[in-house]
Amino acid sequence: RPRMSIIMVNLPEASYGISVRTGLIRGAGHVLPEITETRRVAIVTDDAVGAIYREPLETSLRERGYEPIVVVV
């Protein structure tokens, strides 16, 4: 299984990690239990990226019992 890298984004008001791994879009539902216990997740995207990756990401999450919400910025 490919190794996952976490890129930390440290902002004055909040910090968060961005996960990077080969196949992560289609396998996100399998990877999230390694990261969090919550079943509610947010997909933050824009129109261009969302047109390519939103559907496979949402499908992967829903198939594993997650409840994704999508925020388009």
Side-chain angles (χ1 to χ4, degrees):
R1 164 153 110 168
R3 193 175 130 248
M4 184 164 31
S5 298
I6 307 289
I7 299 169
M8 289 304 300
V9 177
N10 296 306
L11 302 173
E13 61 277 0
S15 297
Y16 57 92
I18 298 173
S19 302
V20 180
R21 177 168 141 178
T22 301
L24 187 58
I25 296 293
R26 295 193 192 283
H30 295 280
V31 174
L32 277 180
E34 300 172 16
I35 300 170
T36 184
E37 293 180 13
T38 186
R39 303 310 279 176
R40 296 181 67 198
V41 296
I43 299 169
V44 180
T45 188
D46 63 17
D47 288 327
V49 174
I52 300 167
Y53 298 110
R54 178 181 174 171
E55 188 271 328
L57 179 55
E58 276 190 279
T59 298
S60 173
L61 295 171
R62 290 186 193 284
E63 285 175 350
R64 299 294 292 183
Y66 289 93
E67 301 171 30
I69 61 164
V70 178
V71 179
V72 179
V73 293

